[in-house]
Amino acid sequence: MRLLGFAAATENASNGLLQHLALFMEYLLGAIGEVKRLSLCLMLRVNEEQFSNLMVRKINLCLKIPELESFTGQIKAFKIQRPSSGGDLPQTGEYTFPVARRVNSASAMMMGDDVENGNLGPYLDRPRTFPNMRSKPYTPLIFRILRGINVRVLVILLFLGFGYVFYIGASTSPIIVFVFSVCIVSFLLSIYLTKWVLSKDEGPPEMAQISEAIRDGAEGFFKTQYGTISKMALLLALVILSIYLFRNTTPQQESSGLGRATSACITVAAFLLGALCSGVAGYVGMWVSVRANVRVSSAARRSAREALQIAVRAGGFSALVVVGMAVIGIAILYATFYVWLGVDSPVPLLLVGYGFGASFVALFAQLGGGIYTKAADVGADLVGKVEQGIPEDDPRNPAVIADLVGDNVGDCAARGADLFESIAAEIISAMILGGTMAQHPSGFILFPLVVHSFDLVVSSIGILSIRGTRDSNVKVPLEDPMTILQKGYSVTIILAVLTFFGSTRWLLYTEQAPSAWLNFSLCGLVGIITAYVFVWITKYYTDYKHEPVRTLALSSSTGHGTNIIAGVSLGLESTALPVLVISVSIISAFWLGHISGLVDETGSPTGGLFGTAVATMGMLSTAAYILTMDMFGPIADNAGGIVEMSQQPESVREITDVLDAVGNTTKATTKGFAIGSAALASFLLFSAYMDEVSSFAREPFKQVDIAIPEVFIGGLLGSMLIFLFSAWACAAVGRTAQEVVKEVRRQFIERPGIMDYKEKPDYGRCVAIVASASLREMIKPGALAIVSPIVVGFLFRVLGHYTGHPLLGAKVVAALLMFATVSGILMALFLNTAGGAWDNAKKFIETGALGGKGSESHKAAVTGDTVGDPFKDTAGPSLHVLIKMLATITLVMAPVFL
């Protein structure tokens, strides 16, 4: 047969043509029937299993056959070009279908004219590969040490470790044993999820190459970034040690026998442990995302539901590890201090250093990762999409690998450290308040640990409730992914309500006030409802299914300026409802706690603040599932980039685009959730700060009068801090993006063959530029956040000393903290919502609305998305970390202000 003869003649030039032929014949099998299939297998000298393997090869190119006289006839003309559609074959006219292409063990991009003329040389010599960003795989030191230990020795060490943990737990309280058990079970479940995700295939080699390049860049940046953060953490630990060695002791510490040296060592050790655990949480988030992205891409070729399930379970692994580490870390510290010191109530104050260490690492991780991801994204979009008119994540764009790397270091690693810090700060603040409650406060102190233990349980059920499907249709998603995620969230919330009521009855029942537990249960219900409403509000303002984003997209049809105006106004408007919800939540929870019946020795009600703490716990009682939805976003985004770079059919890209758009919404909703929890947690930490100042000063410190000029100035400085921090964070993105833009433009000018696939872009250069610049740029805003409250408090302490106001420094810092919290909440809501709305307005137009991709509306929407990038992924997420870090740093540094 001439057809087979032609394939055999060209086999030496490219053995992939036989695969093209086989795949083309597969499209004819519907008419040929099963007999013809067996005949075809015999002619190609392959068995049916080998033939089926050829059919599932991944897609890079298309074989176009304008005319086919008969099955045994000859091919008059053919050309190979980039795929234009992933749909079914047309019934008439030219036939286009995707095929796999492997040349010299690497993918090559074939141009139509050269193939038609038989000139294959340039492509045989130019494999399309992606660079390694490191010389060897990076693994943190702690994991390298564990890997180097003999297995038997490691088992013995683990056995001894578990034995110690359960010994101190049993010596402290059966509640601690329960917490340890739940955390260990959750870790085992996370191992199962990891094995399940990693068992999925990575797709064809070209997908694996892209994923490896992303992994190399992410791990390389993580190593450098966290190396810098660790050095700063050690320096700050020395400062804390020096302060605590010379500070005064509180009456509680004196009564418990804690000296200065003991208190100093405990605080520094807790700070370093919190920083270490926060870093590990960030690494876990990054580790799973760079391995799950390619598996989601591969699954999208078969089923939208399978791709969704892989992304959710990968995010679930990270969430369970992060939340479990936060809970078990604080539980171990508490139990250790309790056993060593033999005291109960003063112990939570010793954990403040743990929260400060977690906040410190989370802030710099969020800043550095946010600058990295958005600088690369902005640079890639401005030159690639706007100037050159090429698609997003196009392999011709030199900044595309840096952009995909940024999704992992900015959205996964940073978010893992961020949520770890959020949970740690909330647990510690609630434990501090619980220590002042009732005559036997053990249940009140340990209640936050139990709530988050049940969080691990109910979130695990919610994650596992999202299951795959046998349907392999890759053309249209069977169900809206957001609907599926919302169903899992609804399951989690229902279970959270039930477990919360059980926890309050178990731990918060007291004979002093028999009905108090019911009031606190209602406080938790207020927090759960607040979380749900926050998620709904943010979804309303950022999902293109709703009116605000569609109105924003419509404004793009009249130009770039109107898009920016509409996006800014939408962001400003979006602050109203969340603030109203937070206000109602705080008042409701405080009132429920106030009337619970708990009183102090003087008969004054004491449950108000603790009611607010319980509401915060209720809001975070589904934190693991919320983090799962958040991690889902960058994993889906990366999967879409891999699909685009490996040039899969349009039907596959449609699936990843839908998942990406849903991921943008889930990321925005989790940021809104984090802001709400930060507001409630900061309120609790502010109260804890005032109590600590009162203990150190040995006099009441219940009110801060902003009518005092110095105190009012402190408030102004706190508000200014938020705006200046946001400005420096956004400016850092702008400066770094300018370097990326210059580099991408240079490569397009000096290598004109890039646009024709004749030259390969230098991806590594862009990665190096963004990595070095982001590490440099994160220092100034981070240092501003740490140094400002310390300097302000110390200066006004000196001023108060000379003017006869010994508590002036503490009052000014309290005003700074209060105003910074209020301004930070509003600014973070504005930045996160506006950025998410701009992004999804662009996604809405890319679905075909208002002219679709390449239209003037799309160009205006890209501009808005570019403006919103540093809003939603750099300055906005960093602000709620900043708010909580200001609260913890004032707690740790309180002696400096007195």
Side-chain angles (χ1 to χ4, degrees):
M1 295 169 61
R2 295 184 182 182
L3 190 60
L4 294 178
F6 176 81
T10 57
E11 185 175 3
N12 292 333
S14 172
N15 56 15
L17 285 178
L18 187 59
Q19 299 168 16
H20 300 329
L21 176 60
L23 192 53
F24 169 70
M25 291 179 177
E26 175 67 12
Y27 281 106
L28 302 179
L29 287 179
I32 295 172
E34 187 62 21
V35 176
K36 295 288 182 74
R37 176 184 179 92
L38 296 175
S39 301
L40 183 59
C41 292
L42 292 174
M43 287 189 293
L44 296 178
R45 297 181 180 178
V46 296
N47 58 37
E48 287 206 42
E49 180 179 357
Q50 293 170 331
F51 184 89
S52 298
N53 290 335
L54 291 177
M55 299 304 103
V56 297
R57 296 295 297 271
K58 310 308 178 280
I59 301 154
N60 285 333
L61 314 167
C62 282
L63 177 62
K64 211 168 194 179
I65 304 179
E67 184 177 352
L68 186 65
E69 292 184 348
S70 66
F71 178 72
T72 59
Q74 61 179 348
I75 298 177
K76 291 187 175 181
F78 68 93
K79 65 169 65 176
I80 299 177
Q81 62 181 28
R82 297 187 65 207
S84 58
S85 173
D88 293 332
L89 290 175
Q91 300 301 316
T92 59
E94 295 185 345
Y95 288 84
T96 302
F97 60 92
V99 296
R101 187 75 187 156
R102 295 289 293 166
V103 179
N104 290 349
S105 300
S107 299
M109 186 58 62
M110 311 288 291
M111 297 296 103
D113 294 337
D114 289 317
V115 176
E116 190 172 14
N117 297 329
N119 181 19
L120 305 180
Y123 309 103
L124 296 174
D125 298 332
R126 186 180 54 77
R128 179 166 59 87
T129 59
F130 298 89
N132 289 324
M133 306 298 174
R134 54 174 162 76
S135 57
K136 59 181 180 180
Y138 167 69
T139 305
L141 178 61
I142 184 172
F143 293 109
R144 294 202 300 270
I145 293 174
L146 291 176
R147 284 184 178 181
I149 300 176
N150 181 272
V151 176
R152 294 182 179 178
V153 176
L154 184 61
V155 170
I156 294 174
L157 291 176
L158 289 175
F159 179 78
L160 293 176
F162 284 134
Y164 169 76
V165 165
F166 280 98
Y167 166 75
I168 61 172
S171 302
T172 305
S173 170
I175 300 171
I176 294 291
V177 176
F178 170 78
V179 171
F180 288 160
S181 301
V182 172
C183 290
I184 291 173
V185 171
S186 70
F187 290 149
L188 295 176
L189 177 60
S190 67
I191 293 174
Y192 162 75
L193 293 178
T194 307
K195 295 183 68 175
W196 186 89
V197 171
L198 296 181
S199 67
K200 302 299 180 179
D201 68 287
E202 295 186 354
E206 53 267 26
M207 278 188 177
Q209 287 178 1
I210 300 167
S211 177
E212 288 169 3
I214 297 170
R215 187 184 310 173
D216 292 346
E219 292 182 347
F221 177 74
F222 183 91
K223 175 183 178 181
T224 307
Q225 181 191 30
Y226 277 76
T228 303
I229 294 174
S230 62
K231 295 175 183 177
M232 294 189 291
L234 289 174
L235 178 62
L236 186 57
L238 293 176
V239 173
I240 296 173
L241 180 65
S242 302
I243 293 173
Y244 271 63
L245 284 176
F246 296 99
R247 74 169 193 171
N248 296 326
T249 57
T250 64
Q252 292 87 345
Q253 291 174 336
E254 292 175 357
S255 62
S256 60
L258 294 178
R260 292 180 181 176
T262 303
S263 179
C265 292
I266 287 175
T267 303
V268 171
F271 170 79
L272 292 176
L273 181 61
L276 175 64
C277 291
S278 184
V280 173
Y283 179 76
V284 167
M286 182 272 299
W287 186 90
V288 67
S289 66
V290 297
R291 288 161 176 80
N293 51 14
V294 68
R295 290 169 169 84
V296 175
S297 302
S298 179
R301 299 170 303 126
R302 299 184 294 271
S303 167
R305 189 68 177 262
E306 182 185 354
L308 172 68
Q309 186 184 22
I310 293 174
V312 168
R313 290 197 169 188
F317 156 75
S318 177
L320 294 178
V321 171
V322 169
V323 176
M325 281 179 52
V327 175
I328 200 170
I330 295 177
I332 290 174
L333 278 179
Y334 176 85
T336 301
F337 294 158
Y338 182 90
V339 171
W340 283 359
L341 305 177
V343 293
D344 197 355
S345 297
V347 171
L349 280 173
L350 300 176
L351 303 176
V352 171
Y354 186 86
F356 180 36
S359 299
F360 177 82
V361 172
L363 179 66
F364 281 98
Q366 189 67 70
L367 266 177
I371 293 170
Y372 187 112
T373 180
K374 291 303 110 181
D377 194 3
V378 169
D381 285 352
L382 286 178
V383 183
K385 294 170 69 174
V386 177
E387 296 181 5
Q388 299 294 331
I390 59 179
E392 186 175 3
D393 300 324
D394 192 287
R396 293 170 291 181
N397 195 325
V400 68
I401 292 291
D403 183 12
L404 296 176
V405 169
D407 291 333
N408 297 282
V409 298
D411 288 334
C412 292
R415 197 74 71 248
D418 176 9
L419 192 73
F420 177 89
E421 176 266 342
S422 296
I423 294 173
E426 180 265 328
I427 290 176
I428 291 170
S429 60
M431 291 178 75
I432 292 173
L433 289 175
T436 64
M437 303 298 298
Q439 297 177 353
H440 302 286
S442 295
F444 287 83
I445 293 176
L446 300 179
F447 179 68
L449 297 174
V450 173
V451 169
H452 285 290
S453 297
F454 280 119
D455 170 22
L456 292 170
V457 175
V458 300
S459 296
S460 298
I461 296 173
I463 293 167
L464 295 176
S465 69
I466 299 176
R467 307 186 65 83
T469 179
R470 296 180 179 179
D471 196 312
S472 60
N473 183 8
V474 299
K475 296 180 180 62
V476 181
L478 297 178
E479 191 176 356
D480 180 13
M482 180 56 76
T483 303
I484 298 173
L485 293 175
Q486 286 286 3
K487 287 180 181 178
Y489 186 43
S490 299
V491 170
T492 306
I493 284 182
I494 293 172
L495 294 175
V497 171
L498 297 176
T499 57
F500 206 95
F501 272 75
S503 301
T504 51
R505 181 62 180 83
W506 175 24
L507 297 173
L508 302 186
Y509 176 82
T510 173
E511 295 181 357
Q512 178 186 354
S515 62
W517 72 270
L518 182 58
N519 287 55
F520 291 128
S521 297
L522 296 176
C523 291
L525 184 61
V526 168
I528 293 173
I529 294 174
T530 301
Y532 186 83
V533 173
F534 251 86
V535 169
W536 183 88
I537 291 173
T538 314
K539 180 175 177 290
Y540 173 75
Y541 278 108
T542 56
D543 194 337
Y544 62 62
K545 296 175 185 175
H546 302 291
E547 182 181 356
V549 175
R550 290 182 177 243
T551 303
L552 176 57
L554 183 62
S555 69
S556 304
S557 61
T558 54
H560 300 251
T562 51
N563 173 275
I564 300 300
I565 294 172
V568 171
S569 63
L570 185 151
L572 293 172
E573 178 189 327
S574 68
T575 62
L577 287 178
V579 168
L580 292 176
V581 171
I582 291 175
S583 302
V584 171
S585 300
I586 291 176
I587 291 175
S588 302
F590 187 90
W591 180 78
L592 286 169
H594 187 75
I595 64 172
S596 63
L598 293 177
V599 295
D600 58 13
E601 294 81 359
T602 63
S604 301
T606 60
L609 280 178
F610 190 74
T612 309
V614 174
T616 309
M617 286 180 261
M619 192 170 185
L620 288 170
S621 62
T622 57
Y625 190 87
I626 293 292
L627 180 59
T628 298
M629 290 200 299
D630 187 69
M631 291 288 185
F632 166 84
I635 292 173
D637 192 0
N638 256 208
I642 293 173
V643 166
E644 178 70 31
M645 293 192 70
S646 61
Q647 301 185 357
Q648 301 298 303
E650 190 65 25
S651 57
V652 182
R653 180 69 201 197
E654 286 174 2
I655 288 177
T656 55
D657 280 346
V658 171
L659 296 179
D660 186 15
V662 171
N664 286 332
T665 303
T666 58
K667 286 191 292 185
T669 55
T670 51
K671 289 169 188 172
F673 170 86
I675 294 168
S677 64
L680 295 177
S682 297
F683 178 71
L684 302 179
L685 290 169
F686 179 76
S687 301
Y689 166 75
M690 298 185 73
D691 290 340
E692 186 178 13
V693 170
S694 178
S695 298
F696 279 117
R698 300 173 189 264
E699 61 179 90
F701 187 67
K702 299 293 185 182
Q703 297 176 343
V704 178
D705 188 358
I706 62 172
I708 300 174
E710 294 87 351
V711 176
F712 182 73
I713 290 172
L716 287 178
L717 292 175
S719 298
M720 177 211 68
L721 172 62
I722 296 299
F723 283 83
L724 186 59
F725 177 88
S726 302
W728 284 1
C730 292
V733 174
R735 285 190 296 269
T736 308
Q738 290 175 20
E739 297 184 37
V740 178
V741 167
K742 292 176 182 177
E743 173 60 23
V744 176
R745 285 174 176 169
R746 182 193 66 80
Q747 291 197 32
F748 278 133
I749 293 173
E750 296 181 3
R751 302 182 180 187
I754 289 177
M755 293 300 295
D756 297 328
Y757 297 95
K758 294 179 180 178
E759 293 184 78
K760 186 175 67 176
D762 186 357
Y763 303 107
R765 176 63 180 161
C766 289
V767 170
I769 289 174
V770 178
S772 60
S774 58
L775 290 174
R776 181 178 66 250
E777 295 285 356
M778 77 177 185
I779 301 298
K780 188 168 73 169
L784 173 72
I786 295 172
V787 173
S788 294
I790 299 175
V791 171
V792 170
F794 180 76
L795 290 178
F796 280 95
R797 172 193 175 180
V798 174
L799 179 62
H801 175 73
Y802 287 104
T803 58
H805 297 85
L807 293 181
L808 183 62
K811 292 179 180 179
V812 171
V813 170
L816 182 148
L817 179 59
M818 187 190 318
F819 280 66
T821 300
V822 173
S823 302
I825 291 169
L826 293 173
M827 179 66 80
L829 286 169
F830 161 68
L831 294 175
N832 285 331
T833 308
W838 266 317
D839 195 346
N840 271 350
K842 178 199 68 174
K843 287 286 192 301
F844 176 62
I845 294 176
E846 288 176 348
T847 62
L850 302 173
K853 293 183 180 180
S855 64
E856 292 301 318
S857 297
H858 183 239
K859 292 178 181 178
V862 170
T863 300
D865 179 36
T866 303
V867 174
D869 276 340
F871 282 25
K872 67 182 176 65
D873 287 325
T874 306
S878 299
L879 279 177
H880 67 260
V881 182
L882 170 64
I883 293 169
K884 286 172 287 188
M885 198 197 72
L886 289 174
T888 53
I889 197 174
T890 52
L891 275 172
V892 173
M893 298 295 181
V896 177
F897 315 140
L898 300 173

